[in-house]
Amino acid sequence: MFFNDRREERADKQVVELDNQQIPQHIAIIMDGNGRWAKGQNLPRVAGHRRGMEVVKDITKAASDLGVKVLTLYAFSTENWKRPETEVGFLMKLPGKFFDTFVPDLIANNIRVNVIGYVDQLPASTQKAVQNAIAQTANNTGMVLNFALNYGGRAEIVSGVQQIAQRVLSGEIKPEDIDENMLSQSMMTASLNEYADPDLLIRTSGEERLSNFLLWQIAYSEFVFVDEHWPEFTASVLKRAIKIYQSRHRRFGGLSENKSDKK
């Protein structure tokens, strides 16, 4: 590694014992703090994004090894276009660099690439890199590495409602036919089937907000916020977040089976 961070060293030394029967099937991560990490290291912001790309590789393998079914990573939001042009340009080149070096590992680990978001609005070279990775890993049957790229939760809901409205206008369905399942099927995560909704949402860098991420899908997700910036995020930190998840009682609006739980 080209940086020195004591927090990561400490995290790596922690031994976290997990219940392998309670591994969250779908983990979603808001990868925050690349720029702040770089600033703390007296490096340009792009160095944070570059390091963050390497962390994606590490965490993808770690999640797959733990038995996670879907790992969704918030790579670029519809609001990120507001960032400086040079930074956006660098971010648009990252998928090509990432997949060029990582697709062989994805294939070796039986990991399939999926992408949600408005990919058709991305530069042609970025679209090509994404489409190639999807095609090259299409036959893999293990974990799905699901990138949210040019994605926004509110825009996704609007698009889904527009699709349903069009079906009503065409006479295919009636307004009273619309239910939660239909709306879920109109979301970009519908292809993930039973794993469409995250069990666990993690946000790095100490921030505690959703930033327009998977707003429909996280209705019953458990949230874990960690202080580590994304470039500091390790397999040990991932396990720590899963351990917190495993300590919670998920009721889905019902009553807990744990009699000691008074809520």
Side-chain angles (χ1 to χ4, degrees):
M1 300 182 196
F2 61 87
F3 63 92
N4 179 22
D5 193 287
R6 295 185 181 277
R7 281 180 294 180
E8 179 167 347
E9 292 172 2
R10 287 199 299 271
D12 284 336
K13 291 179 181 178
Q14 295 176 357
V15 177
V16 179
E17 297 294 337
L18 296 177
D19 180 351
N20 292 329
Q21 301 304 311
Q22 295 188 59
I23 300 296
Q25 296 180 321
H26 182 172
I27 298 177
I29 304 179
I30 301 175
M31 304 180 293
D32 194 18
N34 287 343
R36 275 165 284 174
W37 173 86
K39 183 178 180 180
Q41 302 289 326
N42 294 315
L43 296 169
R45 286 179 60 85
V46 294
H49 296 308
R50 189 178 294 112
R51 170 60 194 163
M53 182 178 70
E54 296 304 315
V55 173
V56 168
K57 297 177 182 179
D58 295 339
I59 298 305
T60 296
K61 293 176 183 178
S64 178
D65 289 344
L66 287 170
V68 174
K69 303 299 184 184
V70 176
L71 177 65
T72 296
L73 301 177
Y74 203 7
F76 190 86
S77 76
T78 49
E79 290 75 32
N80 285 157
W81 295 105
K82 301 174 185 176
R83 294 187 176 187
E85 186 176 345
T86 53
E87 183 175 349
V88 171
F90 182 86
L91 290 171
M92 288 299 104
K93 293 177 182 177
L94 274 185
K97 296 178 180 178
F98 175 83
F99 289 125
D100 281 348
T101 58
F102 198 43
V103 163
D105 286 337
L106 292 173
I107 294 173
N109 287 277
N110 197 30
I111 297 170
R112 179 170 65 86
V113 173
N114 188 64
V115 176
I116 59 174
Y118 300 92
V119 179
D120 59 334
Q121 298 174 7
L122 298 173
S125 59
T126 308
Q127 292 186 46
K128 182 178 180 181
V130 168
Q131 292 163 356
N132 286 345
I134 292 173
Q136 290 171 318
T137 62
N139 294 326
N140 293 348
T141 57
M143 188 184 81
V144 176
L145 176 57
N146 185 42
F147 284 103
L149 191 57
N150 195 28
Y151 171 88
R154 286 186 171 184
E156 177 189 32
I157 293 172
V158 169
S159 294
V161 171
Q162 288 174 339
Q163 292 175 24
I164 294 173
Q166 190 60 48
R167 294 175 65 189
V168 172
L169 284 173
S170 68
E172 179 184 347
I173 60 173
K174 298 178 181 179
E176 55 266 31
D177 295 329
I178 301 171
D179 57 15
E180 288 188 14
N181 182 63
M182 184 178 293
L183 195 50
S184 291
Q185 288 301 309
S186 72
M187 295 294 105
M188 296 175 180
T189 49
S191 65
L192 299 174
N193 301 313
E194 68 267 35
Y195 305 126
D197 297 342
D199 300 297
L200 170 61
L201 173 74
I202 301 170
R203 181 166 186 152
T204 62
S205 201
E207 302 292 349
E208 298 184 3
R209 57 180 177 273
L210 300 178
S211 295
N212 200 21
F213 186 44
L214 298 176
L215 298 180
W216 174 264
Q217 296 87 341
I218 59 173
Y220 286 103
S221 302
E222 295 293 330
F223 297 173
V224 174
F225 303 104
V226 301
D227 291 332
E228 288 83 358
H229 300 314
W230 179 247
E232 302 165 324
F233 198 84
T234 65
S236 293
V237 182
L238 174 64
K239 289 180 180 179
R240 193 177 76 216
I242 294 175
K243 185 70 173 180
I244 294 171
Y245 163 86
Q246 292 183 346
S247 72
R248 296 178 180 172
H249 301 292
R250 305 185 74 200
R251 305 179 191 83
F252 300 97
L255 296 177
S256 172
E257 295 180 359
N258 187 343
K259 294 181 180 179
S260 65
D261 193 340
K262 302 299 183 182
K263 294 184 179 181

